C-alpha cells in the first residue's frame, strides 16, 4: 500500500515581510479568535498591525525568519526514512502548515497527485487543543473536500503519553538536570516544564490541552525517577531500562508546569514562566527549562526561552539557567512518530490513536474522533 503521512504544524513567516500577513492568518483563524465575521476579520487586521513591529524584532533576533519549516522538513525526511526502513508499505511524508506556506491546500494537492491508498494525519502538537490540532484537522477536512481528495484518512489526535515520546523528553531532560545538579553544589535544580499558553476560556469550555500537558509532565517525571536510579553504564542511548521496584528510593524532583507566549488582555493559563522564574530567584534555585509542548525549535524556544527568559533569569540572580533542547530529530522522537503511524495503519477508519486505550475524559470537547 501507498501511505501518505501528513505532518500538521502551525507554520511561521519565512521573511520579515511575511510577518504581518502571517499574523493576520494566525488571528483570523476561527479556532483562535472565536468571533463571527466581519468582527473576526477586523480584529485580526488590528492585532496584526499592532504586533507587527514587535514580532519583526523577535524574528530578526533569530535570523530574520521562523526556522519551523526547515525543522519540519528535516523531521519529515527522518520520519520517511524510518518508516521505509523495512520492506512492505511505501510511505511518503508531506507537510501542511496552518498559517503559512506550505499551506494545507498545497499539501492536499501534492497528496492527491501521489494517489495514496491511505492518509495518516500526524500533528506536531503532542497535546490536543482546539486552537492547534483541532484547527489543523478541520482545515484539512475542508480543503480535501474542496479539492476532491477522497481517501481513507486516519487522524492522530494526540500523543501526550506515548512511551517513546516520553522517553525522548526524559532522556534530554536528564542530561540537562545532571549538568545543573553538578554545577549547583548543594542546591537542587528545579525543572520548569514550559508549555505554550492558552486563554483560560478554552479550558473552561472543555479544551483538554491543560489536562494533557499535566499528563505529559507526570509521565516524564516518572521516567526521570526511574532513570535516576540506574547506573549510567546500564542506560541505553535513549535512557531506557525497566526499573525494579527494589531500586527505590528514587530521586525526588522539584518541578513545576508553567506557560509562555501570552498575548492580549485575556486571562491565560497560570502560572506564567515569568512567575516561576521569580519564585526560583526567591528560592535561590537553578532551573532546567523543558519545552514540553514544542517538538522543534522556533521563536518560542529560540527567542523567548533562549533570549528573553534567560536574560530575565540572569537579571533576577537565578544561580543557573539551562534550557533543554526541543525534541527535533531526537532518535526516540522520530521512532515514536513512526510507531504512531504504524499503529494508525492497523486501526479502522475514523478511529484515533487513543481509542480503546487512553482516551480523554468525556467532559473534554474538540476531539474530532468523538
Amino acid at each position: 500500500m501507498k501511505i501518505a503521512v501528513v505532518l500538521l504544524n502551525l507554520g511561521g513567516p519565512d521573511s520579515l515581510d511575511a510577518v504581518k500577513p502571517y499574523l493576520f492568518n494566525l488571528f483570523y483563524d476561527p479556532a483562535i479568535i472565536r468571533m463571527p465575521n466581519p468582527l473576526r476579520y477586523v480584529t485580526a487586521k488590528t492585532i496584526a498591525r499592532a504586533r507587527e513591529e514587535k514580532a519583526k524584532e523577535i524574528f530578526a533576533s533569530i535570523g530574520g525568519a521562523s526556522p519551523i519549516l526547515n525543522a519540519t522538513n528535516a523531521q519529515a525526511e527522518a520520519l520517511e526514512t524510518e518508516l521505509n526502513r523495512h520492506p512492505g508499505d511505501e510511505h511518503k511524508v508531506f507537510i501542511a502548515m496552518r498559517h503559512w506556506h506550505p499551506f494545507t491546500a498545497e499539501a492536499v494537492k501534492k497528496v492527491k497527485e501521489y494517489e495514496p491508498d491511505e492518509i495518516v494525519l500526524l500533528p506536531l502538537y503532542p497535546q490536543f487543543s482546539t486552537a492547534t490540532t483541532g484547527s489543523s484537522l478541520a482545515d484539512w477536512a475542508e480543503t480535501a473536500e474542496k479539492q476532491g481528495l477522497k481517501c481513507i484518512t486516519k487522524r492522530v489526535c494526540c500523543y501526550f503519553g506515548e512511551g517513546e515520546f516520553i522517553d525522548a523528553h526524559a532522556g534530554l531532560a536528564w542530561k540537562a538536570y545532571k549538568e545543573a545538579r553538578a554545577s549547583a553544589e548543594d542546591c537542587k535544580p528545579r525543572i520548569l516544564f514550559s508549555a505554550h499558553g492558552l486563554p483560560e476560556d478554552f479550558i473552561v469550555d472543555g479544551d483538554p490541552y491543560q489536562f494533557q500537558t499535566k499528563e505529559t509532565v507526570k509521565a516524564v517525571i516518572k521516567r526521570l525517577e526511574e532513570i535516576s536510579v540506574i547506573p549510567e553504564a546500564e542506560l541505553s542511548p535513549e535512557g531506557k531500562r525497566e526499573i525494579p521496584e527494589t531500586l527505590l528510593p528514587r530521586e525526588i524532583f522539584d518541578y513545576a508546569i508553567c506557560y509562555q507566549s501570552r498575548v492580549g488582555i485575556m486571562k491565560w493559563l497560570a502560572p506564567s514562566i515569568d512567575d516561576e522564574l521569580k519564585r526560583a530567584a526567591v528560592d535561590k534555585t537553578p532551573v532546567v527549562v523543558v519545552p514540553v509542548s514544542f517538538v522543534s525549535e522556533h521563536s518560542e524556544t529560540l527567542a523567548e526561552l533562549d533570549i528573553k527568559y534567560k536574560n530575565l533569569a540572569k537579571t533576577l540572580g537565578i544561580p543557573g539557567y539551562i534550557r533543554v533542547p526541543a525534541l527535533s530529530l531526537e532518535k526516540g522522537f522520530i521512532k515514536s512518530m513512526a510507531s504512531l503511524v504504524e499503529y494508525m495503519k492497523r486501526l479502522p477508519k475514523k478511529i484515533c490513536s487513543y481509542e480503546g486505550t487512553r482516551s480523554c475524559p468525556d467532559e473534554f470537547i474538540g476531539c474530532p474522533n468523538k
Side-chain angles (χ1 to χ4, degrees):
M1 285 203 310
K2 292 171 65 176
I3 310 295
V5 179
V6 184
L7 298 183
L8 305 175
N9 213 338
L10 188 70
D14 48 19
S15 69
L16 293 182
D17 288 339
V19 168
K20 187 175 181 180
Y22 162 76
L23 289 174
F24 171 78
N25 292 341
L26 177 67
F27 292 107
Y28 189 57
D29 184 346
I32 294 177
I33 300 295
R34 299 183 295 180
M35 298 176 178
N37 265 328
L39 184 57
R40 188 175 76 252
Y41 178 87
V42 173
T43 300
K45 281 286 189 182
T46 302
I47 296 174
R49 189 185 314 113
R51 291 185 56 81
E52 179 184 6
E53 292 308 315
K54 180 62 177 178
K56 281 184 175 180
E57 290 177 13
I58 290 171
F59 287 107
S61 73
I62 57 172
S66 169
I68 196 168
L69 180 56
N70 288 338
T72 307
N73 277 327
Q75 290 171 322
E77 183 178 341
L79 177 57
E80 189 171 300
T81 299
E82 179 67 25
L83 287 168
N84 290 321
R85 280 196 313 116
H86 305 292
D89 295 332
E90 174 186 310
H91 303 84
K92 188 169 179 60
V93 181
F94 301 84
I95 294 171
M97 296 295 193
R98 182 66 182 93
H99 299 304
W100 201 246
H101 300 284
F103 289 115
T104 303
E106 300 167 59
V108 168
K109 181 180 178 182
K110 289 182 178 180
V111 170
K112 190 176 180 182
E113 291 170 353
Y114 179 58
E115 297 183 339
D117 298 295
E118 282 190 8
I119 299 169
V120 176
L121 302 179
L122 179 55
L124 291 180
Y125 321 108
Q127 300 87 12
F128 180 92
S129 173
T130 52
T132 52
T133 307
S135 176
S136 288
L137 291 176
D139 190 42
W140 178 272
E142 180 181 346
T143 307
E145 184 177 1
K146 284 181 179 177
Q147 293 194 26
L149 174 58
K150 297 179 180 180
C151 182
I152 294 174
T153 300
K154 299 176 180 179
R155 301 162 293 193
V156 175
C157 65
C158 47
Y159 41 94
F160 59 91
E162 199 279 330
E164 289 172 306
F165 166 74
I166 296 300
D167 288 338
H169 258 311
L172 289 174
W174 178 239
K175 292 177 186 177
Y177 184 83
K178 286 192 301 176
E179 180 184 345
R181 190 174 58 182
S183 63
E185 299 179 348
D186 296 331
C187 188
K188 177 181 285 191
R190 178 173 298 154
I191 303 177
L192 299 184
F193 292 94
S194 187
H196 199 290
L198 193 69
E200 279 193 357
D201 286 351
F202 282 70
I203 305 304
V204 172
D205 290 343
D207 193 293
Y209 176 73
Q210 185 179 35
F211 165 81
Q212 292 190 357
T213 299
K214 290 180 178 179
E215 290 297 301
T216 298
V217 171
K218 282 166 57 177
V220 172
I221 288 295
K222 182 176 184 295
R223 189 69 188 124
L224 283 171
E225 290 173 350
E226 295 170 346
I227 292 174
S228 71
V229 295
I230 306 175
E232 289 293 320
E234 298 181 32
L235 276 175
S236 71
E238 291 79 28
K240 295 182 181 179
R241 182 187 147 187
E242 293 301 317
I243 314 300
E245 290 295 324
T246 53
L247 286 179
L248 296 173
R250 305 173 181 187
E251 177 103 0
I252 303 300
F253 291 92
D254 179 6
Y255 70 95
I257 301 172
C258 51
Y259 300 91
Q260 62 181 94
S261 310
R262 295 179 298 178
V263 295
I265 60 173
M266 296 174 291
K267 189 173 182 182
W268 285 61
L269 292 176
S272 68
I273 187 171
D274 308 66
D275 291 338
E276 281 299 326
L277 288 175
K278 291 171 185 175
R279 185 168 73 93
V282 170
D283 296 340
K284 296 181 172 54
T285 302
V287 296
V288 175
V289 181
V290 180
V292 73
S293 64
F294 307 103
V295 300
S296 62
E297 306 292 1
H298 44 102
S299 61
E300 282 85 352
T301 59
L302 299 176
E304 291 187 24
L305 297 183
D306 288 355
I307 300 175
K308 177 181 178 180
Y309 291 115
K310 185 176 182 179
N311 289 339
L312 177 60
K314 184 177 180 180
T315 300
L316 292 171
I318 292 175
Y321 180 99
I322 297 178
R323 203 269 286 182
V324 176
L327 295 174
S328 300
L329 297 177
E330 188 73 11
K331 185 182 296 184
F333 175 60
I334 299 301
K335 284 186 175 181
S336 74
M337 298 295 96
S339 296
L340 281 168
V341 172
E342 294 295 337
Y343 178 62
M344 296 303 290
K345 284 161 53 179
R346 299 194 299 268
L347 294 178
K349 183 180 178 182
K350 293 186 178 179
I351 300 298
C352 77
S353 54
Y354 275 66
E355 187 73 22
T357 53
R358 294 166 292 177
S359 53
C360 290
D362 290 338
E363 64 265 25
F364 291 133
I365 64 168
C367 177
N369 299 292
K370 289 200 173 187

